[in-house]
């Protein structure tokens, strides 16, 4: 499947079952609970909204991926991003990340942070290609597995390309 078969749109409450199924498939012991997703979505609408969640929907209505951004002041945080295994390595993760960065700019963010497991090299590679650099480590960030997280950051000012900074890197 190519990334072009799917459409990105805002995540809504009726996506919950599909998102939770993907969450369990992709994150296993680090998966977020349903309560966490309801809380995130509750903050994604209205004038004071601080979240932006998107899903990648196939023509048949099933979900191929999703991602979410949280905003505090002028700092965005990539809360999650995931692509179902059979759709990975087709550019969808990059599309989702680009959508979250565009949303961060829309919120007026000047920088975007994220946490990623130290052993999650595919995700780190994706983030590096979008210009994120490692600024620190959070010990035991992922529980109950007690895995450490890298903290990565990308400035949004001056505005840069939303695509990979080094597509051939
Ligand atoms: C990380 C993830 C979202 C990437 O999604 P994807 O759709 O495969 O990403 P893309 O196809 O857009 O790949 C973009 C780049 O990411 C990197 N990448 C993605 N998968 C990779 C892999 N398995 N190994 C090495 N690099 C990889 C590469 O730089 C890739 O570019 P390339 O294919 O031209 O080499 C996906 O692997 C995933 O859902 N993983 C499980 C959930 C997860 O760990 N999320 C991140 C939490 S912080």
């Amino acid at each position: 499947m190519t990334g072009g078969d799917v459409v990105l749109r805002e995540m809504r409450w009726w996506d919950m079952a599909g998102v939770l199924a993907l969450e369990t498939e992709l994150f296993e012991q680090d998966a977020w609970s349903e309560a966490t997703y309801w809380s995130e979505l509750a903050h994604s609408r209205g004038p004071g909204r601080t979240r932006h969640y998107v899903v990648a929907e196939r023509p048949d209505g099933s979900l191929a991926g999703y991602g979410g951004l949280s905003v505090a002041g002028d700092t965005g945080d990539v809360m999650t991003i995931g692509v179902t295994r059979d759709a990975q390595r087709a550019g969808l993760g990059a599309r989702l990340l680009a959508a979250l960065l565009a949303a961060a700019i829309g919120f007026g963010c000047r920088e975007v942070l994220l946490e990623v497991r130290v052993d999650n090299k595919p995700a780190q590679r994706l983030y590096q290609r979008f210009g994120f650099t490692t600024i620190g480590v959070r010990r035991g960030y992922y529980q109950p597995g007690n895995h450490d997280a890298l903290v990565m950051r990308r400035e949004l000012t001056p505005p840069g390309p939303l695509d990979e900074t080094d597509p051939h890197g």
Side-chain angles (χ1 to χ4, degrees):
M1 191 184 86
T2 69
D5 292 335
V6 302
V7 174
L8 268 52
R9 61 165 174 80
E10 181 186 0
M11 184 188 293
R12 298 304 311 278
W13 60 266
W14 52 81
D15 296 312
M16 186 63 74
V19 168
L20 290 173
L22 261 185
E23 178 80 13
T24 305
E25 172 197 328
L26 294 172
F27 293 100
E28 299 172 354
Q29 64 177 350
D30 298 325
W32 281 1
S33 68
E34 181 171 351
T36 297
Y37 269 105
W38 283 122
S39 172
E40 290 295 295
L41 286 188
H43 292 96
S44 70
R45 290 227 138 190
R49 69 195 191 95
T50 56
R51 303 290 192 276
H52 181 73
Y53 276 75
V54 292
V55 293
E57 187 175 47
R58 296 189 182 95
D60 68 2
S62 63
L63 298 186
Y66 57 92
L69 177 88
S70 141
V71 176
D74 59 8
T75 299
D77 201 314
V78 175
M79 302 294 282
T80 188
I81 187 165
V83 173
T84 189
R85 292 192 206 287
D86 64 358
Q88 290 179 4
R89 294 314 286 270
L92 189 51
R95 283 178 66 193
L96 286 163
L97 185 54
L100 298 182
L101 293 179
I105 289 171
F107 274 109
C109 295
R110 300 173 69 86
E111 63 172 3
V112 173
L113 303 176
L114 59 83
E115 290 82 21
V116 56
R117 255 173 70 157
V118 291
D119 58 354
N120 190 348
K121 300 300 179 192
Q124 289 169 33
R125 180 115 181 91
L126 172 63
Y127 301 141
Q128 284 162 2
R129 291 184 65 161
F130 273 75
F132 284 84
T133 56
T134 300
I135 60 167
V137 178
R138 290 194 176 154
R139 302 282 172 209
Y141 181 80
Y142 293 98
Q143 298 295 339
N146 200 36
H147 296 283
D148 298 341
L150 298 183
V151 183
M152 302 185 79
R153 175 178 181 271
R154 177 188 156 161
E155 284 186 28
L156 292 178
T157 51
L162 293 180
D163 258 346
E164 292 98 323
T165 52
D166 178 13
H168 305 294

